């Protein structure tokens, strides 16, 4: 069939509306064919139905049925066209990027079907034919098409690399195995490849395990992010709840302050306006008297002048304005009092916040006991491990690496390497003490400097009233009153250590941004008793809700 005949044949199966091969062809009463969906959409919203080709009109919308004969012819046409396209594609398939091209083709390089290790050439189906028919070429070793065939040949003997030398861990040809590697352990490429595949399988399994671990880590980090966001949202809501009424109170106080100042100013203005009104009234009366005196002095009626003289001679009664003053009001102290009231409100709100925070951290209370194996020989511990004070004599105790040898220190028996924990210690009656947490690897021998750099997060009291946070350098703490019971809270993951005055519900000091990588132990020092002045013990107390 000629090309023109093919074109005419294809035109017979094209819908004149969509210009594509028919889909579900239907025939109108005038004999023309269209896709069912095309003619249906063409007639939508029309009052007069007409054929798109011949313009024949129909007053009633025709009932259209699928032309089964034409549909079968269209389906046959589609199948033939697909077969022709498939046959043409398989016969003339050009090499795509990444595919091995035929080395013989000129012009368009077709896709290679095989590579010859003898010829070091890759062939398409057409140029491969001699290797399948010629007796001399049939003996050549063919393989799946590959690039850089010269890399598969021994550079020394120009022979295919067919063996693997396990001794030298290299691929060799047959001549190499006889001449250069005859005493070495040789195996086929297939055998070695299978072994390497097994190793790659292990590597792949390890990689998949690493991928899985990292996916789990991603999930863990996402969960941490969610927890962090939830905590941030809660804190934000709490902050809004606290600060909104505080800001409203500030606005009210500011409005009240402005009103008080304005009231004072209005009172002063009213007083001045009243004085001015009286003065203007007196001026008016004086001006009237002045006019009367002036007229009388020009009068030619001597009798009238003498009769009026005694009345007009004296000035009308007026007020002595010499000492009258309008003193501007003093606003000194207005702002100071307002600020003091605001500070008092803030202190009350802060106290409420600390009370709520302390109540929350007390939920993480743990049972802490003192570890006698860490106690300095001068210390005396109670039988239940809850109290410690410094004695007058140094006991002869076994030397242990965990024991504090020089300073009057002792650690808690319990350690913590995650989560949150809280404990309370009574310090009532003492003039000196140290309290906090310490990491496991701290120095326990000789002189010890308490600081985070040395593994201690602690505060202390000296001389009965000198409180310091040993933050390296130390921070002087100005407390309104000395605490009798100190609460210690630690959040391991967040790197926080907080100290509270439990009874007053006051935050004493906070270490933030700490990086904990070891076990943490509660840390105590009752300090020397100084002849009985500091003989009261440090006592670990049971935790009860303070508010």
């Amino acid at each position: 069939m000629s090309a023109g005949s093919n074109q005419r044949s294809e035109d017979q199966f094209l819908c004149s509306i969509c210009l594509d091969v028919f889909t579900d062809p239907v025939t109108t009463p005038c004999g023309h064919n269209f896709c069912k969906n095309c003619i249906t959409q063409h007639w939508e919203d029309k009052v007069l139905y007409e054929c798109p080709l011949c313009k024949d009109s129909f007053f009633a919308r025709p009932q259209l049925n699928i032309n089964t004969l034409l549909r079968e012819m269209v389906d046959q046409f589609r199948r033939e066209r697909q077969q022709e396209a498939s046959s043409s594609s398989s016969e003339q398939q050009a090499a795509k990027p990444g595919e091995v091209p035929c080395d013989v083709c000129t012009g368009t390089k077709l896709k290679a079907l095989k590579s010859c290790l003898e010829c070091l050439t890759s062939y398409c189906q057409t140029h491969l034919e001699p290797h399948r028919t010629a007796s001399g070429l049939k003996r050549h070793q063919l393989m799946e098409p590959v690039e850089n065939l010269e890399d598969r040949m021994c550079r020394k003997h120009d022979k295919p690399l067919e063996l693997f030398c396990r001794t030298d861990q290299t691929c060799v040809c047959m001549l190499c195995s006889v001449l250069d590697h005859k005493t070495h352990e040789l195996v086929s490429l297939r055998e070695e490849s299978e072994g390497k595949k097994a190793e790659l399988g292990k590597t792949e399994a390890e990689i998949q395990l690493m991928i899985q671990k990292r996916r789990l880590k991603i999930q863990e980090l996402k969960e941490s992010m969610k927890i962090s966001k939830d905590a941030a949202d809660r804190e934000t809501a709490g902050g809004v709840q606290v600060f909104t009424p505080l800001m409203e109170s500030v606005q009210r106080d500011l409005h009240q302050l402005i009103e008080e100042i304005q009231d004072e100013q209005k009172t002063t203005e009213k007083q001045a306006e009243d004085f001015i009104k009286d003065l203007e009234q007196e001026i008016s009366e004086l001006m009237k008297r002045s006019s009367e005196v002036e007229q009388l002095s020009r009068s030619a009626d001597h009798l009238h002048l003498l009769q009026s003289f005694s009345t007009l001679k004296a000035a009308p009664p007026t007020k002595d304005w010499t000492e009258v003053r309008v003193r501007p009001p003093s606003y000194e102290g207005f702002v100071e009092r307002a600020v003091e009231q605001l500070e008092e409100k803030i202190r009350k709100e802060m106290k409420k916040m600390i009370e709520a925070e302390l109540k929350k951290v007390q939920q993480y209370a743990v049972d802490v006991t003192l570890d006698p194996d860490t106690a300095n020989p001068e210390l005396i511990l109670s039988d239940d491990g809850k109290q410690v004070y410094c004695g007058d004599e140094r006991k002869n105790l076994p030397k242990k690496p965990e024991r504090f040898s020089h300073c009057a220190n002792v650690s808690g028996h319990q350690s913590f390497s995650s989560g949150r924990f809280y404990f309370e210690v009574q310090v009532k009656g003492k003039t000196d003490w140290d309290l906090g947490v310490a990491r496991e690897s701290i120095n326990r021998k000789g002189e010890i400097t308490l600081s985070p750099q040395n593994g201690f997060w602690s505060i202390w009291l000296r001389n009965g009233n000198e409180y310091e946070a040993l933050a390296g350098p130390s921070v002087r703490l100005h407390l309104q009153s000395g605490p009798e019971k100190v609460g210690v809270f630690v959040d391991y993951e967040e790197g926080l250590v907080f100290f509270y005055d439990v009874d007053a519900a006051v935050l004493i000091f906070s270490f933030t941004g700490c990086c904990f990588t070891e076990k943490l132990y509660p840390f105590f020092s009752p300090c020397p008793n100084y002849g009985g002045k500091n003989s009261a013990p440090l006592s670990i107390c049971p935790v009860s809700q303070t508010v």
Side-chain angles (χ1 to χ4, degrees):
M1 187 180 290
S2 67
S5 176
N6 279 337
Q7 183 63 41
R8 286 194 300 274
S9 177
E10 182 174 352
D11 290 342
Q12 295 173 359
F13 301 106
L14 295 182
C15 172
S16 59
I17 296 178
C18 66
L19 303 179
D20 201 354
V21 178
F22 287 121
T23 300
D24 294 331
V26 295
T27 305
T28 61
C30 58
H32 292 112
N33 298 307
F34 305 95
C35 296
K36 183 178 181 181
N37 189 52
C38 291
I39 190 64
T40 300
Q41 290 184 353
H42 179 74
W43 281 346
E44 271 190 56
D45 301 328
K46 297 286 178 62
V47 176
L48 185 65
Y49 306 97
E50 62 180 16
C51 174
L53 287 178
C54 67
K55 304 301 181 181
D56 275 1
S57 58
F58 319 102
F59 292 100
R61 184 167 182 165
Q63 181 68 32
L64 300 176
N65 296 316
I66 294 175
N67 189 330
T68 55
L69 178 60
L70 180 57
R71 182 173 64 181
E72 290 174 0
M73 294 172 65
V74 170
D75 292 343
Q76 178 64 25
F77 173 76
R78 279 202 179 98
R79 287 193 294 271
E80 290 175 356
R81 193 169 66 172
Q82 289 174 356
Q83 289 174 357
E84 290 175 3
S86 175
S87 175
S88 174
S89 174
S90 61
E91 291 175 0
Q92 299 293 332
Q93 189 173 6
K96 299 176 182 178
E99 294 179 338
V100 179
C102 175
D103 294 326
V104 182
C105 288
T106 59
T108 302
K109 294 284 188 178
L110 300 182
K111 178 182 177 181
L113 295 182
K114 295 289 181 181
S115 296
C116 177
L117 291 176
E118 302 292 333
C119 305
L120 297 181
T121 305
S122 298
Y123 300 102
C124 65
Q125 183 174 354
T126 302
H127 295 116
L128 183 63
E129 194 62 26
H131 279 73
R132 291 174 173 170
T133 57
S135 58
L137 297 177
K138 283 183 178 181
R139 293 191 296 272
H140 287 192
Q141 184 177 354
L142 298 177
M143 63 179 298
E144 293 302 311
V146 294
E147 292 182 316
N148 303 323
L149 282 167
E150 59 274 9
D151 293 340
R152 295 177 172 270
M153 304 298 291
C154 177
R155 298 185 184 277
K156 186 174 183 181
H157 304 112
D158 201 25
K159 297 292 181 182
L161 299 172
E162 301 180 77
L163 301 172
F164 184 80
C165 176
R166 287 180 173 173
T167 305
D168 292 340
Q169 291 292 302
T170 186
C171 297
V172 298
C173 68
M174 287 296 183
L175 282 178
C176 288
S177 67
V178 175
L179 299 177
D180 303 324
H181 299 263
K182 61 182 178 180
T183 61
H184 294 177
E185 182 183 1
L186 299 169
V187 295
S188 67
L189 294 181
R190 177 184 293 275
E191 181 180 348
E192 186 64 23
S193 177
E194 293 298 327
K196 291 294 189 285
K197 285 182 180 179
E199 293 182 18
L200 289 176
K202 293 180 180 178
T203 301
E204 173 66 11
E206 292 174 356
I207 292 173
Q208 289 299 326
L209 181 60
M210 294 171 66
I211 292 173
Q212 184 64 19
K213 287 182 178 179
R214 279 150 182 77
R215 284 176 176 166
L216 290 174
K217 179 56 70 174
I218 289 174
Q219 189 65 30
E220 177 186 330
L221 293 173
K222 287 183 177 179
E223 186 64 24
S224 297
M225 288 168 58
K226 182 180 182 302
I227 293 172
S228 176
K229 184 180 182 303
D230 291 344
D233 291 343
R234 287 194 302 272
E235 290 301 318
T236 300
V240 170
Q241 186 177 3
V242 170
F243 279 95
T244 298
L246 190 59
M247 289 188 293
E248 292 174 353
S249 175
V250 170
Q251 289 292 338
R252 287 194 301 270
D253 290 349
L254 175 61
H255 183 68
Q256 182 178 348
L257 172 65
I258 293 173
E259 281 189 345
E260 290 179 359
I261 293 174
Q262 289 177 345
D263 288 346
E264 287 290 326
Q265 175 63 17
K266 288 178 181 178
T267 300
T268 303
E269 288 180 356
K270 179 66 169 55
Q271 183 183 29
E273 288 171 355
D274 290 344
F275 288 157
I276 292 171
K277 184 177 181 180
D278 291 345
L279 286 168
E280 287 176 345
Q281 181 65 32
E282 290 187 358
I283 289 172
S284 177
E285 293 177 357
L286 290 171
M287 290 179 66
K288 180 180 179 182
R289 179 62 59 87
S290 174
S291 176
E292 292 175 349
V293 170
E294 183 181 0
Q295 289 179 5
L296 184 63
S297 63
R298 291 199 300 268
S299 176
D301 188 344
H302 305 297
L303 177 61
H304 174 67
L305 187 150
L306 293 174
Q307 290 176 339
S308 302
F309 177 80
S310 60
T311 304
L312 299 180
K313 177 183 178 182
T318 57
K319 183 178 179 179
D320 184 5
W321 294 93
T322 305
E323 301 298 329
V324 174
R325 299 284 189 275
V326 176
R327 292 180 176 80
S330 174
Y331 301 110
E332 185 176 350
F334 273 58
V335 176
E336 288 79 359
R337 285 194 300 273
V339 171
E340 287 176 359
Q341 292 172 359
L342 178 60
E343 288 178 345
E344 180 61 26
K345 290 180 180 179
I346 292 176
R347 279 194 293 269
K348 290 180 179 178
E349 289 300 324
M350 285 294 296
K351 184 174 178 59
K352 290 180 182 177
M353 290 174 58
I354 297 298
E355 287 175 348
E357 181 181 325
L358 182 56
K359 184 176 181 180
K360 185 164 58 176
V361 301
Q362 284 176 330
Q363 298 175 2
Y364 300 98
V366 293
D367 185 20
V368 174
T369 55
L370 303 171
D371 185 358
D373 290 337
T374 66
N376 178 272
E378 294 181 359
L379 298 182
I380 299 175
L381 277 60
S382 63
D383 293 338
D384 61 0
K386 295 292 186 178
Q387 290 188 347
V388 58
Y389 63 94
C390 192
D392 296 322
E393 297 181 358
R394 185 179 181 87
K395 298 186 295 292
N396 186 16
L397 298 176
K399 293 183 178 180
K400 296 185 176 183
E402 63 269 29
R403 189 181 303 283
F404 291 95
S405 63
H406 184 76
C407 298
N409 300 336
V410 61
S411 293
H413 187 76
Q414 293 75 17
S415 65
F416 304 90
S417 55
S418 65
R420 302 168 179 174
F421 62 95
Y422 173 84
F423 60 94
E424 293 179 353
V425 181
Q426 182 172 302
V427 296
K428 182 180 179 181
K430 296 193 63 62
T431 61
D432 296 67
W433 49 260
D434 305 345
L435 186 60
V437 293
R439 66 185 180 213
E440 187 175 28
S441 63
I442 55 172
N443 174 35
R444 300 167 188 263
K445 310 301 178 185
E447 292 289 343
I448 298 173
T449 299
L450 303 183
S451 69
Q453 291 79 7
N454 294 330
F456 296 89
W457 291 267
S458 59
I459 61 175
W460 75 15
L461 167 66
R462 292 293 183 268
N463 302 319
N465 58 3
E466 298 174 6
Y467 295 90
E468 291 185 3
L470 307 177
S474 297
V475 177
R476 185 71 180 268
L477 304 176
H478 301 282
L479 307 181
Q480 289 186 348
S481 60
E484 295 186 354
K485 186 187 296 183
V486 176
V488 182
F489 171 71
V490 177
D491 188 324
Y492 193 96
E493 281 74 21
E494 293 296 325
L496 305 175
V497 183
F498 290 175
F499 295 88
Y500 296 93
D501 180 338
V502 177
D503 297 323
V506 172
L507 178 65
I508 298 175
F509 188 78
S510 60
F511 291 90
T512 59
C514 310
C515 182
F516 301 132
T517 57
E518 303 177 21
K519 293 179 180 179
L520 293 180
Y521 289 84
F523 167 77
F524 312 85
S525 176
C527 296
N529 60 23
Y530 300 117
K533 293 181 180 179
N534 189 40
S535 59
L538 288 178
S539 302
I540 302 173
C541 308
V543 176
S544 59
Q545 295 293 331
T546 58
V547 289

